Amino acid sequence: MAIASFILYIFVTAYTPGPNNIMAMVSANKYGFKRTIKFCLGVGTGFLIIMLLCSYFNLFLRTTVPKIEFSLSIFGSFYMVYLALKIMFSKEKKSESDVKKKFGFSTGMLLQFINPKVILYGITAVSTFILPFYHSQFSLMIFSLILALVGFSGTICWTIFGALFQKFLRKYRIQFNFVMALLLIYSALSIWVEN
């Protein structure tokens, strides 16, 4: 296995802007680190489930991805644009129940199942770097855990960034939301460029 390429791929993919990272930063900016941690834990849990599915069903996915990838790309990119518009036009004050509903554990977990970046990250990492060299259940579980932990660490870093710069970002909330929305739209468009 090309260890350097594998490490570079997973860290670049996990730490670049995407739905998980941008949503976590926006949430931490608005509501603080403590209120966002449930969302991050949901992201981590969903990430692990997706990585396990990619590991165990990779051969099946290889034959069906050309059939489902286009549909997944359409749905995922439209969802990312929807999230971008929600961020761009969000209001300043939110109720406690709204925070739990929008940035809770289940939202973070379910986001992974329609997040094309995570699914393609898993499919690519498993098919390119793992399955050609490792086949045991133990190694697939360990690599799935590593991929999920790296993805989770990227989300946590973006959350910490949002929380640390909360005062600054509140002062420039409209501009910040606009830039984050544009990054989400860029993420959605990049899916089309790659396909």
Side-chain angles (χ1 to χ4, degrees):
M1 178 194 325
I3 301 259
S5 297
F6 175 67
I7 291 171
L8 183 64
Y9 171 76
I10 64 173
F11 276 94
V12 166
T13 305
Y15 283 81
T16 53
N20 294 336
N21 297 339
I22 293 171
M23 295 290 289
M25 185 168 56
V26 168
S27 176
N29 176 40
K30 284 184 173 184
Y31 312 117
F33 184 80
K34 284 185 179 182
R35 289 184 175 170
T36 306
I37 198 69
K38 286 183 182 178
F39 175 79
C40 293
L41 290 172
V43 166
T45 302
F47 218 110
L48 179 59
I49 293 168
I50 294 294
M51 295 307 108
L52 287 168
L53 289 173
C54 286
S55 293
Y56 285 104
F57 298 110
N58 194 49
L59 293 177
F60 173 75
L61 290 174
R62 277 187 183 171
T63 60
T64 60
V65 164
K67 298 172 192 162
I68 65 168
E69 186 175 16
F70 183 71
S71 302
L72 182 64
S73 296
I74 291 172
F75 184 73
S77 59
F78 278 118
Y79 182 71
M80 290 164 61
V81 170
Y82 166 76
L83 290 176
L85 293 173
K86 293 287 278 182
I87 290 170
M88 195 178 291
F89 298 111
S90 68
K91 304 291 184 220
E92 178 66 29
K93 300 292 180 187
K94 298 284 182 188
S95 68
E96 184 71 24
S97 63
D98 199 25
V99 174
K100 289 179 182 174
K101 183 173 70 175
K102 285 192 176 180
F103 294 103
F105 179 86
S106 58
T107 302
M109 187 176 81
L110 294 174
L111 176 62
Q112 304 323 296
F113 292 91
I114 57 169
N115 184 346
K117 182 181 176 186
V118 169
I119 295 168
L120 294 175
Y121 165 82
I123 291 170
T124 304
V126 170
S127 65
T128 305
F129 297 106
I130 299 168
L131 281 182
F133 305 100
Y134 302 95
H135 299 91
S136 73
Q137 286 196 21
F138 179 74
S139 61
L140 291 177
M141 290 173 73
I142 293 298
F143 278 111
S144 295
L145 184 61
I146 290 168
L147 292 170
L149 287 174
V150 172
F152 177 72
S153 70
T155 303
I156 288 292
C157 283
W158 281 71
T159 303
I160 291 169
F161 177 80
L164 286 177
F165 296 100
Q166 196 170 25
K167 287 182 183 179
F168 173 79
L169 294 173
R170 277 198 181 148
K171 183 177 179 183
Y172 299 102
R173 183 185 66 80
I174 294 170
Q175 295 89 339
F176 171 75
N177 284 355
F178 187 76
V179 170
M180 292 301 103
L182 289 178
L183 285 173
L184 265 179
I185 291 170
Y186 168 77
S187 296
L189 292 176
S190 69
I191 293 167
W192 291 99
V193 172
E194 290 174 10
N195 287 331

